[in-house]
Amino acid sequence: MERSKIVANALVTGASSGIGLSTARRLAHRGHHVLMLSYDEPELQQACQDLVGQATPVLCDLSQSDQVDGLFARLEGLYGPIEILINNAGIGHHGEVTETSMDTFRRVMEVNYFAPLNLCQQALTAMKERRRGHILNLTSASARRPLARMGAYGSSKAALHGLTQTLRLEAHPYQVRVSEVLPISVTTPFFERASNTSQRLYRPTGFRHSPDQVADMVMRCLDRNIGEYVTHTPTALGLALDALLPNFVSRLLVWSERLTARRNRRD
Ligand SMILES: NC(=O)c1ccc[n+]([C@@H]2O[C@H](COP(=O)([O-])OP(=O)(O)OC[C@H]3O[C@@H](n4cnc5c(N)ncnc54)[C@H](OP(=O)(O)O)[C@@H]3O)[C@@H](O)[C@H]2O)c1
């Protein structure tokens, strides 16, 4: 990639794969120095390779809070102010609540909620002082309506969704921007990597975005200071109906779950 003039530092978590990698590439292309965070070293080095001079690998296991504590200040000490934080890293788990261990619930919450919360706290403290900066959290449409077997994942994303709404209001008086992107299924290794304690395959069905499409939406949120971006219009309409008639949508989902179970018994 051709090297551009550095305009600002951006920290992207989960930048070695999928949506995070596509987003890191776009930010680098615009001249940002991208701090690419993930924890699998060979994969991270590989991801940084084509962004020579524009990216720095940051090895960190987000499930270990002692690695996340103070990370933002350490990185700012090394590279200068970080203007953009993209909390993108996330892990999945598929399984009914009764077949999911407390350890799994805690691991998913640690990576998908407590680590981004910790980074948001650190980033917002620094950004408030500078009265500048943008935090963007990747949640999921399931943050607004988790489905069956999404107890661990859906709750972690719902928690991050709630936190992001609060942060947006608290950051606004300091001219710090806070955005959220809520994707539906995306063609990344996410589903293969997810743990699964159910008898069913964890595979996306229906429409899927490419990671590049979601990264474009991330960039749109940064450019236009969009608060919440549901990536798929029919899903956005479904969520609007849900907000208006939650009991009706709930019944529809129970009915659809019963239909799927009956079909599975027949197969
Ligand atoms: N794919 C979808 O259908 C979908 C739908 C809605 C929302 N999302 C959300 O979008 C975000 C990105 O997902 P994706 O589909 O791009 O997934 P992905 O391709 O599996 O990438 C996940 C990234 O997170 C990193 N990561 C995972 N655990 C980590 C840990 N403990 N410490 C540091 N980094 C860690 C991975 O790093 P390593 O390579 O080092 O493991 C990887 O870079 C996630 O928050 C996900 O929940 C995805």
Side-chain angles (χ1 to χ4, degrees):
M1 198 191 107
E2 198 186 315
R3 191 174 168 163
S4 334
K5 193 170 169 291
I6 301 295
V7 293
N9 289 312
L11 172 60
V12 181
T13 72
S16 60
S17 166
I19 300 166
L21 179 56
S22 291
T23 302
R25 285 185 176 138
R26 276 158 179 69
L27 287 165
H29 188 71
R30 287 184 175 194
H32 289 90
H33 171 226
V34 190
L35 300 166
M36 296 175 67
L37 183 153
S38 80
Y39 78 110
D40 181 311
E41 190 169 7
E43 202 188 350
L44 183 59
Q45 295 294 357
Q46 173 83 25
C48 284
Q49 239 169 33
D50 59 334
L51 302 177
V52 187
Q54 296 283 142
T56 301
V58 178
L59 266 183
C60 172
D61 183 351
L62 294 172
S63 68
Q64 304 300 312
S65 60
D66 57 333
Q67 294 187 24
V68 186
D69 290 342
L71 178 69
F72 204 81
R74 282 199 296 282
L75 292 174
E76 290 206 326
L78 289 170
Y79 306 105
I82 298 171
E83 305 281 353
I84 297 172
L85 165 65
I86 312 277
N87 275 311
N88 160 79
I91 54 172
H93 176 77
H94 190 68
E96 291 184 13
V97 171
T98 50
E99 60 195 14
T100 302
S101 69
M102 285 307 292
D103 278 351
T104 300
F105 270 100
R106 288 200 179 94
R107 181 173 52 85
V108 174
M109 281 306 275
E110 202 60 59
V111 176
N112 292 2
Y113 177 67
F114 285 111
L117 160 63
N118 194 343
L119 286 174
C120 282
Q121 233 177 17
Q122 297 176 44
L124 187 52
T125 306
M127 289 172 177
K128 268 163 86 170
E129 277 208 7
R130 296 194 283 267
R131 297 197 166 251
R132 201 174 60 241
H134 204 140
I135 296 171
L136 186 145
N137 293 337
L138 256 296
T139 63
S140 160
S142 67
R144 302 265 300 272
R145 174 57 91 163
L147 301 176
R149 291 165 294 283
M150 286 187 138
Y153 179 73
S155 327
S156 70
K157 291 295 185 180
L160 187 57
H161 169 66
L163 174 81
T164 311
Q165 289 183 317
T166 293
L167 276 180
R168 189 174 308 126
L169 300 177
E170 293 180 359
H172 181 75
Y174 301 91
Q175 287 91 53
V176 177
R177 299 168 163 194
V178 177
S179 300
E180 177 184 3
V181 175
L182 300 91
I184 57 155
S185 299
V186 188
T187 51
T188 70
F190 176 85
F191 294 93
E192 289 102 77
R193 289 176 172 184
S195 50
N196 188 349
T197 45
S198 83
Q199 301 301 313
R200 302 192 197 178
L201 277 178
Y202 187 31
R203 289 286 174 273
T205 51
F207 182 82
R208 274 174 285 171
H209 292 297
S210 71
D212 282 349
Q213 284 173 321
V214 180
D216 285 337
M217 297 180 210
V218 167
M219 300 313 287
R220 214 168 297 151
C221 286
L222 296 179
D223 291 341
R224 301 188 196 160
N225 189 20
I226 298 171
E228 275 180 45
Y229 198 126
V230 178
T231 59
H232 183 239
T233 307
T235 304
L237 293 173
L239 291 173
L241 179 71
D242 193 6
L244 217 59
L245 299 168
N247 207 26
F248 170 72
V249 171
S250 189
R251 282 200 188 125
L252 265 186
L253 291 173
V254 168
W255 172 77
S256 137
E257 187 62 25
R258 218 186 295 154
L259 213 68
T260 315
R262 205 176 301 159
R263 205 175 308 131
N264 283 348
R265 271 200 300 275
R266 245 187 283 129
D267 293 344

